[in-house]
Amino acid sequence: MSEIDLDQYLGSNDPHFNVNAQGWYFEFTGHKKPHCQISFETFVAAVHEAYHFVLQNRDKPFACLNLLKSFPEKYRLLEDDHVVIIDRLLGALSHHPEFADLRIPFMQIVDYRHILKPYDQDEDIINHRWEFDFDILKQEVNKLTSTNEKMAYIVNTLTDFRQKMPAMDEITTAYYLDTQFIEKCVSEGKRIQMLDQLRSGQAYAASIINEGKTLEDKKLVMEEILRYMSGFNHAGRKIMKEDDYQLLLSYTVAYLETENVPVITKRLPQLEIPIEYIRYSYYLIHKSLYGTRKIKMSMIDFLHAVFSQFDNTEKTTTKIKFSTEPKTYKADTGHQ
């Protein structure tokens, strides 16, 4: 491929792509070339094709995924070549001005990248220096005594993170977005404020707490408890497809709005977690929002309507075992 051919990639009509392409060019021609065998010409042609396809098909995540799956044969790629192309693509998309509209195909690509080369087996990830770590943040916050000190620590960390994020490389950006660092920090801040309110006597019982909760407050509780379902189980398998996870969230929000079973257009297939985990997760939602003095039968009905996994279980059994915590639930889900 000639230098003239490269001009279409380094000087295209898309300024955002051009900036990234220039950086990749210096990366490939410098002393820190990525761990791959392909030439820069092949690399940039593949990323250019995928980048523009995603922009034009942002509502078609599986079409984007199928395109990437065709690349090894089309461009004669080795596994490391394929991973490098996907990592650089994710980096360009993560900083795109319209990233909010690209999030669905982006997360689908992140999942595919993890399947190709699991992050916990990737030397670039294992040896990477993570400046921001949510578990460490929680440890530091727990050392502080007052709510104001804890909130200040979280706010200062998020401010620092947002200032440094534009300069992060593709692997780092994809890692933080995939692990939802910002969302976890925000949820932790709201959790601390809620606990402070409870300790100060602003609410006395779950029924009273619920009266003051807006739908957004309820969604926050629900999303925090169900978030683990968007990830992987202890065996490294995806718990559920991203579109099924988003459907589950929409069903649950609809339930929280009316406390009745919403219209179910599609039931969810078998998840890669035991039925006990699903049941207990919704018990935690019930406990947080409605208390445990009287279990709402409508939530039991909701579980049986949404999850096909409950087909061979009686509703009375679900209600009786509703509050039974699975032995490894906390370890597997990260809930405390």
Side-chain angles (χ1 to χ4, degrees):
M1 186 177 287
S2 68
E3 292 297 327
I4 295 176
D5 291 325
L6 285 178
D7 283 342
Q8 67 177 304
Y9 302 118
L10 301 179
S12 70
N13 293 326
D14 187 324
H16 180 72
F17 184 84
N18 294 346
V19 170
N20 282 276
Q22 290 286 349
W24 298 328
Y25 178 77
F26 291 121
E27 184 182 10
F28 266 76
T29 56
H31 65 283
K32 292 185 178 180
K33 182 181 178 181
H35 183 62
C36 61
Q37 302 299 317
I38 52 172
S39 65
F40 175 73
E41 289 83 357
T42 300
F43 160 82
V44 75
V47 178
H48 181 270
E49 179 182 356
Y51 171 86
H52 285 286
F53 187 87
V54 171
L55 292 188
Q56 295 165 12
N57 297 274
R58 59 190 68 190
D59 60 338
K60 300 176 181 177
F62 292 102
C64 297
L65 201 58
N66 288 333
L67 176 71
L68 289 173
K69 289 180 178 179
S70 72
F71 276 13
E73 180 177 355
K74 180 176 182 178
Y75 291 100
R76 298 182 180 179
L77 306 176
L78 300 176
E79 181 182 86
D80 286 340
D81 301 335
H82 201 191
V83 169
V84 167
I85 287 171
I86 293 174
D87 280 342
R88 300 315 183 266
L89 170 65
L90 289 171
L93 295 176
S94 68
H95 293 106
H96 197 281
E98 299 174 6
F99 176 69
D101 295 331
L102 301 170
R103 192 171 181 85
I104 293 178
F106 179 89
M107 295 309 299
Q108 199 73 42
I109 297 170
V110 167
D111 288 343
Y112 177 55
R113 159 62 171 83
H114 179 79
I115 292 171
L116 280 179
K117 194 171 186 180
Y119 289 116
D120 57 0
Q121 297 176 21
D122 190 330
E123 292 183 4
D124 289 332
I125 298 290
I126 296 171
N127 299 325
H128 203 80
R129 180 179 176 273
W130 302 111
E131 182 176 358
F132 299 94
D133 186 300
F134 179 70
D135 290 330
I136 292 176
L137 177 140
K138 285 190 69 173
Q139 292 173 14
E140 294 301 317
V141 165
N142 288 336
K143 294 177 183 177
L144 303 173
T145 54
S146 74
T147 296
N148 287 342
E149 288 177 320
K150 293 180 179 182
M151 292 303 299
Y153 187 91
I154 292 174
V155 170
N156 290 336
T157 299
L158 281 175
T159 300
D160 189 29
F161 177 81
R162 287 191 170 107
Q163 289 175 343
K164 294 180 178 179
M165 191 172 183
M168 293 178 183
D169 59 41
E170 291 85 354
I171 291 176
T172 305
T173 300
Y175 173 80
Y176 283 127
L177 290 171
D178 187 43
T179 56
Q180 298 182 309
F181 177 77
I182 293 177
E183 291 87 345
K184 287 181 178 178
C185 289
V186 172
S187 294
E188 179 66 10
K190 292 186 176 182
R191 185 185 70 85
I192 289 170
Q193 291 178 321
M194 188 179 297
L195 288 174
D196 186 61
Q197 290 175 354
L198 291 173
R199 293 191 188 101
S200 64
Q202 293 179 20
Y204 297 94
S207 59
I208 299 176
I209 294 172
N210 190 41
E211 287 177 4
K213 273 190 172 65
T214 65
L215 180 60
E216 288 303 312
D217 292 331
K218 294 178 182 179
K219 286 172 61 178
L220 174 65
V221 172
M222 175 269 293
E223 289 171 354
E224 177 66 21
I225 293 172
L226 300 184
R227 179 175 290 121
Y228 77 95
M229 292 187 183
S230 68
F232 299 83
N233 64 17
H234 70 280
R237 292 191 295 273
K238 184 74 172 167
I239 292 175
M240 60 193 304
K241 294 179 180 178
E242 179 62 24
D243 54 347
D244 284 342
Y245 175 68
Q246 294 301 328
L247 184 61
L248 174 61
L249 294 185
S250 69
Y251 284 156
T252 308
V253 170
Y255 172 83
L256 296 177
E257 282 188 284
T258 64
E259 296 179 14
N260 291 311
V261 178
V263 175
I264 307 299
T265 57
K266 172 192 172 185
R267 300 186 73 208
L268 299 182
Q270 175 85 24
L271 275 58
E272 291 291 340
I273 52 173
I275 190 174
E276 292 80 8
Y277 281 43
I278 303 171
R279 183 176 61 222
Y280 189 69
S281 294
Y282 276 86
Y283 166 75
L284 293 179
I285 294 174
H286 194 294
K287 180 181 178 181
S288 298
L289 300 181
Y290 311 119
T292 58
R293 187 174 181 179
K294 184 177 181 181
I295 300 301
K296 291 181 178 292
M297 196 61 199
S298 60
M299 185 170 281
I300 304 299
D301 293 337
F302 173 86
L303 293 176
H304 282 258
V306 173
F307 297 94
S308 60
Q309 213 157 328
F310 282 81
D311 284 351
N312 296 319
T313 302
E314 295 293 332
K315 290 183 180 180
T316 52
T317 301
T318 300
K319 185 176 182 180
I320 292 170
K321 296 184 176 181
F322 200 36
S323 62
T324 303
E325 179 181 342
K327 290 183 179 180
T328 58
Y329 181 84
K330 290 179 179 177
D332 288 344
T333 66
H335 291 159
Q336 300 300 318

